[in-house]
């Protein structure tokens, strides 16, 4: 009977179990972007593309991704028939009609949107 009492005492109740490993993470607050907002876009080169002298730009949140493509093409002095591939966080190519602010809300990292660019297909 004493052994039975020992075994019962060895089992910890749910309130006595170690709660240190279950730390609560506070949810991230949603990013508030208005049509007047400017967001920080960080361009990273890859796949043989030349690096930009200035890598960070503040761009209106309400512009389309096509606008970003056109501006980057101008910065790199590329002709319209030369290939240019842009990726968000090295993962996917957004549609040209995507709004930059929406991409920022979903994929920003450290308060900036990272856009990788290449002259050849590098990811995807």
């Amino acid at each position: 009977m004493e052994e039975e009492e020992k075994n019962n005492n060895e089992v910890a109740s749910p309130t006595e179990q170690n709660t240190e490993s279950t730390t609560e993470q506070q949810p991230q607050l949603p990013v508030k972007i208005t049509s007047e907002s400017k967001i920080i876009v960080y361009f990273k080169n890859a796949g043989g593309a030349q690096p930009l002298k200035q890598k960070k730009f503040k761009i209106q949140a309400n512009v389309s991704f096509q606008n970003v493509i056109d501006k980057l093409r101008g910065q790199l002095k590329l002709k319209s028939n030369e290939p240019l591939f842009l990726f968000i966080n090295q993962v996917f190519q957004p549609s040209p009609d995507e709004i930059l602010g929406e991409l920022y809300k979903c994929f920003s990292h450290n308060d900036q949107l990272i856009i990788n660019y290449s002259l050849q297909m590098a990811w995807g």
Side-chain angles (χ1 to χ4, degrees), residues 1-116:
M1 191 164 195
E2 286 180 33
E3 284 182 38
E4 193 175 307
E5 285 180 32
K6 275 185 182 177
N7 289 340
N8 287 342
N9 288 338
E10 288 176 9
V11 177
S13 69
T15 56
E16 295 173 358
Q17 290 178 351
N18 186 0
T19 57
E20 290 176 21
S21 63
T22 57
T23 57
E24 280 189 41
Q25 292 182 355
Q26 293 182 354
Q28 278 189 329
L29 297 174
V31 178
K32 184 163 177 131
I33 300 289
T34 66
S35 62
E36 303 297 317
S37 298
K38 287 192 173 190
I39 60 174
I40 297 172
V41 176
Y42 181 76
F43 290 103
K44 285 179 144 181
N45 65 314
Q50 64 184 4
L52 296 173
K53 288 181 183 177
Q54 178 185 342
K55 296 177 190 307
K56 288 186 182 182
F57 294 86
K58 282 189 176 183
I59 302 175
Q60 282 295 131
N62 62 350
V63 302
S64 69
F65 196 68
Q66 181 64 51
N67 189 292
V68 175
I69 295 169
D70 294 340
K71 288 184 188 230
L72 182 59
R73 189 174 287 284
Q75 288 284 322
L76 295 171
K77 298 181 176 104
L78 294 176
K79 297 176 185 170
S80 61
N81 63 346
E82 294 179 285
L84 179 63
F85 299 93
L86 279 73
F87 298 86
I88 302 292
N89 296 337
Q90 299 179 351
V91 178
F92 75 100
Q93 288 181 291
S95 171
D97 63 345
E98 290 278 348
I99 301 300
L100 196 60
E102 294 300 316
L103 292 169
Y104 180 85
K105 285 179 190 177
C106 296
F107 303 105
S108 65
H109 181 70
N110 293 337
D111 297 327
Q112 60 189 6
L113 183 64
I114 299 171
I115 299 178
N116 303 87

